[in-house]
């Protein structure tokens, strides 16, 4: 399916979910620069080998509230929270992360600002860095994790000139890291992209733990 068709499908799904018709969406789309945010908090992992992070959801909810409430903040309609507390449709699964990231960024214009926040576990597999959604499996990270390189590429291809990525995540997959990242993972994390700022809970040579 062509990229334009995929974008239309994603936009249509988002509009239907919000109860908007195509005409209403076109009529209500503002021309002024907009701010968009996707906030993900993963506290409850299905894989028994991945430790739960009960404070991650609290952090994600606090970030969501702050973005909306701060002066000149993000419009509430433009901030989407995926977390264990938000029901199945907004659960922080791999499929939901991919689906909502695509649908959200399909709405972005050049003068807009995009923020993506992830609180949860990360890990490295084959030297590459992955974020772990709630349904990730440590025995098959390549197919169940969310590749950081893919997230970075999606943001890089977004027309918005201002992009912020905040990663409140470890890189051990369990929260009990004893080794630092691979050189390849460090390069992924530190690779600069025009117009994008990345904030991480630790650098490639540091360890991150929940307290």
């Amino acid at each position: 399916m062509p990229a334009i068709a995929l974008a239309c499908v994603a936009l249509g799904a988002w509009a239907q979910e919000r109860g908007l018709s195509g005409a209403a969406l076109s009529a209500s789309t503002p021309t002024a620069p907009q701010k968009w945010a996707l906030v993900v908090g993963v506290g409850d992992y299905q894989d028994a080998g991945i430790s739960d992070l009960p404070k991650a959801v609290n952090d994600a909810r606090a970030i969501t509230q702050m973005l909306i409430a701060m002066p000149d903040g993000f419009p509430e309609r433009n901030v989407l929270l995926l977390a264990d507390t938000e029901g199945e449709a907004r659960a922080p699964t791999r499929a939901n992360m991919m689906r909502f990231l695509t649908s959200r960024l399909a709405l972005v214009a050049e003068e807009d600002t995009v923020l993506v926040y992830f609180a949860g576990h990360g890990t490295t597999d084959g030297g590459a860095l992955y974020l772990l959604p709630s349904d990730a499996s440590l025995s098959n990270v390549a197919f169940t994790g969310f590749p950081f390189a893919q997230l970075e590429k999606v943001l890089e291809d977004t027309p918005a000139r201002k992009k912020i990525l905040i990663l409140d995540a470890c890189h051990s997959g369990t929260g009990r890291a004893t080794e630092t990242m691979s050189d390849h993972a460090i390069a992924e994390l530190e690779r600069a992209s025009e117009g994008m700022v990345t904030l991480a809970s630790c650098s490639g040579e540091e360890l991150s733990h929940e307290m």
Side-chain angles (χ1 to χ4, degrees), residues 3-148:
I4 293 177
L6 282 172
C8 290
V9 169
L11 179 56
W14 182 88
Q16 183 178 22
E17 166 196 345
R18 297 276 173 151
L20 298 174
S21 66
L25 185 63
S26 298
S28 63
T29 301
T31 55
Q34 291 287 294
K35 297 175 182 177
W36 306 88
L38 177 65
V39 180
V40 182
V42 190
D44 185 13
Y45 281 93
Q46 298 174 18
D47 187 334
I50 306 177
S51 61
D52 290 339
L53 294 170
K55 298 178 180 62
V57 174
N58 292 341
D59 291 344
R61 292 176 67 87
I63 285 287
T64 299
Q65 293 166 5
M66 182 202 70
L67 291 176
I68 296 170
M70 68 182 185
D72 195 26
F74 288 56
E76 185 173 0
R77 67 181 182 276
N78 291 356
V79 181
L80 180 65
L81 171 64
L82 302 183
D84 305 327
T85 56
E86 301 306 299
E88 186 176 350
R90 301 287 178 84
T93 62
R94 183 177 187 271
N96 279 349
M97 285 178 62
M98 290 187 170
R99 178 163 65 97
F100 284 114
L101 184 66
T102 302
S103 64
R104 182 96 337 184
L105 296 185
L107 304 171
V108 172
E110 186 176 1
E111 298 301 323
D112 291 354
T113 298
V114 172
L115 183 146
V116 175
Y117 173 92
F118 178 86
H121 281 302
T123 192
T124 54
D125 185 74
L129 183 61
Y130 290 83
L131 304 180
L132 297 184
S134 60
D135 54 349
S137 170
L138 283 183
S139 63
N140 197 359
V141 171
F143 287 95
T144 62
F146 197 109
F148 176 75

